[in-house]
């Protein structure tokens, strides 16, 4: 079966492309051309049966991902299904199953079966967990262990997979020789780095990359090229190791496109605000316009408990500067596994960042949404304001808590509502004209 990219190059507009075009209010040919060129990815595994496809990339609304998944401390998959529902209800465009607890296969299959949004996975997590159970240490993992998991997750319906292919010996040399404050903070990156250092061998994900592309092409999995050396603190941002890995990802992007495999490229991380735009522009140049998927970026290291805010601040600038896909950060980041409330807060904060960027980029539907809200506020039309709110549930709760049901204005100004007063005088003035 041909991939979305292969079909697009044949001039074929698929059903998935039509759905994306309708969502984005764009001509289907715009989506087809973007998929053919690699600047748009439509992530839809042939085995994810209840998926409503979404597009990620140039000219489209910025998309938002929510991470869920079990851990060794919380191995029960049921709460993760509840988080999936919360993420979708809050408006996430995708979820990633980052499970490392027991029953990883069962958890992933349940999430994919229940998800109407695209689902991403990180195969090395499962390969590491299973290797440790069988042989006691991640450094005992074999190429076969890794590739068996990649194939299984693809067959199960993962729409995109984060594969840490960009770390090779040259990148590792840059990391060791330059030094970092926090070294490696990516879990997948740490597994690969530890394996390479211990075994003194090349990264099998880099060495046997073409075999990964074979699997991705078979199931139409979008490969999300993981940034295993993303900076974990501001002091490590934009260093030689990060940029060397990015250079590799640019090469790997082209190799995937040659095989008709769709690509997203992952990026930082923790980045000082004044370096964000340069990071985005560098990625777009080096990776030939491939969709860029960033974690945050977080603009300060000192706000645990509020990292959904530090992430949203960086996310808006990142998206304005070229990022296409924002991975949420929750208030629990750096502190613990997020609960349902954390998931909701993370999605909403990241959606605000994405929408602000969409306005700055001039997307008509984003601008129209804000204008509709302004008109509803001018008219003191509370039901319409709640309907238009990005988070109607929270907006309604605040409205009910802070005001009496019969109040026309809000309790902030009460009888001295600026909108109401000026509206009355303007109306009177116009009647005199």
């Amino acid at each position: 079966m041909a991939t979305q990219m292969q079909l697009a190059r044949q001039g074929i507009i698929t059903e998935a492309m039509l759905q994306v075009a309708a969502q984005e209010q764009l001509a289907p040919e715009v989506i087809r051309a973007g998929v053919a060129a690699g600047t748009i990815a439509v992530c839809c595994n042939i085995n994810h049966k209840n998926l409503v496809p979404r597009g990620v990339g140039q000219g489209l609304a910025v998309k938002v991902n929510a991470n869920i998944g079990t851990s060794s401390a919380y191995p029960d998959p049921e709460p993760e299904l509840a988080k999936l529902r919360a993420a979708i209800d809050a408006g996430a465009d995708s979820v990633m199953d980052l499970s490392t607890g027991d029953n990883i296969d069962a958890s992933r299959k349940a999430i994919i079966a229940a998800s109407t949004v695209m689902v991403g996975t990180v195969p090395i997590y499962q390969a590491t967990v299973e290797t440790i159970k069988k042989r006691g240490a991640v450094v005992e993992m074999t190429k076969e262990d890794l590739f068996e998991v990649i194939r299984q997750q693809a067959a199960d319906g993962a729409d995109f997979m984060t594969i840490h292919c960009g770390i090779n010996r040259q990148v590792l040399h840059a990391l060791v020789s330059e030094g970092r404050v926090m070294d490696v903070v990516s879990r997948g990156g740490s597994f690969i780095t530890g394996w390479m250092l211990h075994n003194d061998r090349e990264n099998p994900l880099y060495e046997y990359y073409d075999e990964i592309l074979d699997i991705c092409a078979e199931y139409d999995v979008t490969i999300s090229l993981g940034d295993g050396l993303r900076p974990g603190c501001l002091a490590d941002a934009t260093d030689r190791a990060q940029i060397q890995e990015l250079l590799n990802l640019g090469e790997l992007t082209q190799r995937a496109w040659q095989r008709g495999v769709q690509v997203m490229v992952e990026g930082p991380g923790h980045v000082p605000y004044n370096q964000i735009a340069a990071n985005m522009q560098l990625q777009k140049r080096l990776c030939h316009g491939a969709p860029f998927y960033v974690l945050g970026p977080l603009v300060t290291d000192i706000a645990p408990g509020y990292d959904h805010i530090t992430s949203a601040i960086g996310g808006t600038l990142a998206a304005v500067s070229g990022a296409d896909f924002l991975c949420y950060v929750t208030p629990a980041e750096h502190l613990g596994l997020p609960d349902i409330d954390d998931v909701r807060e993370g999605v909403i904060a990241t959606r605000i960042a994405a929408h602000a960027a969409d306005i700055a980029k001039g997307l008509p539907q984003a601008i129209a949404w804000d204008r509709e809200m302004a008109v509803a506020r001018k008219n003191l039309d509370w039901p319409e304001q709640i309907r238009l709110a990005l988070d109607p549930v929270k907006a309604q709760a605040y409205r009910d808590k802070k005001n009496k049901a019969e109040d026309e204005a809000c309790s902030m100004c009460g009888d001295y509502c600026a909108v109401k007063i000026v509206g009355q005088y303007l109306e009177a003035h116009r009647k005199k004209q």
Side-chain angles (χ1 to χ4, degrees):
M1 181 176 290
T3 67
Q4 293 289 321
M5 176 173 270
Q6 290 165 346
L7 292 169
R9 288 174 175 171
Q10 296 169 26
I12 297 171
I13 296 174
T14 66
E15 178 60 31
M17 295 175 204
L18 287 172
Q19 290 180 266
V20 170
Q23 293 163 9
E24 303 288 341
Q25 299 177 30
L26 293 170
E29 173 58 23
V30 172
I31 306 302
R32 186 208 64 78
V35 174
T39 57
I40 293 174
V42 177
C43 310
C44 50
N45 186 310
I46 60 172
N47 288 342
H48 188 174
K49 301 304 183 184
N50 60 336
L51 173 69
V52 178
R54 284 168 169 78
V56 180
Q58 182 176 300
L60 309 186
V62 177
K63 301 306 186 295
V64 171
N65 174 73
N67 290 337
I68 60 175
T70 62
S71 72
S72 56
Y74 294 92
D76 184 2
E78 282 304 315
E80 304 314 306
L81 291 172
K83 292 177 192 177
L84 168 67
R85 291 188 290 271
I88 294 174
D89 288 346
D93 299 290
S94 74
V95 297
M96 290 197 75
D97 176 17
L98 308 185
S99 293
T100 56
D102 295 330
N103 303 314
I104 295 176
D105 281 332
S107 176
R108 177 179 61 260
K109 290 176 181 179
I111 287 171
I112 291 172
S115 180
T116 54
V117 301
M118 51 188 173
V119 176
T121 62
V122 188
I124 196 170
Y125 289 1
Q126 182 174 0
T128 296
V129 170
E130 293 179 353
T131 297
I132 290 173
K133 286 180 179 178
K134 289 188 291 187
R135 304 189 191 98
V138 66
V139 295
E140 302 300 325
M141 182 166 51
T142 66
K143 176 232 178 180
E144 289 69 31
D145 294 330
L146 263 173
F147 281 65
E148 181 180 341
V149 171
I150 291 171
R151 175 167 288 281
Q152 182 61 56
Q153 295 192 359
D156 286 345
D159 300 295
F160 63 97
M161 293 192 293
T162 295
I163 312 286
H164 298 84
C165 310
I167 304 176
N168 62 4
R169 286 178 178 270
Q170 188 176 6
V171 171
L172 207 55
H173 175 74
L175 172 71
V176 173
S177 60
E178 184 170 13
R180 279 183 165 187
V181 174
M182 289 201 66
D183 298 321
V184 181
V185 299
S186 159
R187 265 189 297 187
S190 72
F191 297 151
I192 287 295
T193 298
W195 188 94
M196 291 174 68
L197 290 170
H198 178 83
N199 292 290
D200 192 26
R201 288 178 54 193
E202 185 57 274
N203 175 5
L205 298 173
Y206 178 81
E207 187 175 3
Y208 301 102
Y209 182 62
D210 287 340
E211 294 183 33
I212 298 173
L213 296 181
D214 289 340
I215 297 170
C216 290
E218 182 178 350
Y219 296 95
D220 202 358
V221 176
T222 299
I223 188 166
S224 191
L225 293 170
D227 56 335
L229 297 190
R230 70 171 183 265
C233 64
L234 300 191
D236 294 338
T238 327
D239 69 351
R240 191 163 68 246
Q242 177 193 334
I243 301 306
Q244 184 61 59
E245 183 181 21
L246 183 58
L247 288 166
N248 288 347
L249 299 185
E251 173 200 345
L252 297 173
T253 295
Q254 288 185 299
R255 287 172 59 185
W257 286 347
Q258 289 168 2
R259 302 288 294 277
V261 173
Q262 298 183 98
V263 175
M264 296 189 293
V265 178
E266 299 186 13
H270 293 239
V271 182
Y273 192 83
N274 62 311
Q275 294 181 24
I276 290 174
N279 268 259
M280 302 305 112
Q281 292 157 10
L282 188 61
Q283 185 276 342
K284 283 292 183 177
R285 175 66 185 89
L286 295 177
C287 298
H288 316 285
F292 198 19
Y293 175 28
V294 298
L295 178 65
L298 287 77
V299 296
T300 180
D301 299 330
I302 63 165
Y306 298 91
D307 277 329
H308 58 310
I309 297 174
T310 66
S311 171
I313 292 169
T316 296
L317 180 56
V320 169
S321 304
D324 306 288
F325 197 9
L326 302 180
C327 184
Y328 85 170
V329 173
T330 77
E333 185 79 6
H334 302 111
L335 300 171
L337 192 72
D339 61 21
I340 285 183
D341 291 336
D342 296 322
V343 167
R344 184 172 183 81
E345 287 291 307
V347 171
I348 295 297
T350 310
R351 285 187 64 205
I352 293 169
H355 180 72
D358 287 342
I359 292 171
K361 294 193 300 180
L363 265 66
Q365 61 268 40
I367 295 169
W369 186 359
D370 276 57
R371 183 175 179 82
E372 289 178 45
M373 177 63 86
V375 171
R377 284 179 173 154
K378 167 75 181 329
N379 296 333
L380 297 176
D381 185 342
W382 293 104
E384 183 68 355
Q385 289 182 56
I386 301 303
R387 185 188 73 80
L388 290 167
L390 189 141
D391 184 356
V393 175
K394 191 167 189 176
Q396 185 68 66
Y398 267 91
R399 175 67 185 165
D400 294 344
K401 181 180 179 181
K402 304 289 185 179
N403 305 275
K404 297 176 182 177
E406 65 273 13
D407 287 348
E408 184 178 16
C410 75
S411 58
M412 172 70 79
C413 296
D415 294 337
Y416 307 103
C417 172
V419 172
K420 185 175 181 180
I421 292 170
V422 172
Q424 291 171 343
Y425 281 100
L426 281 173
E427 183 179 358
H429 175 74
R430 291 180 179 121
K431 286 180 179 179
K432 293 178 184 178
Q433 301 299 309

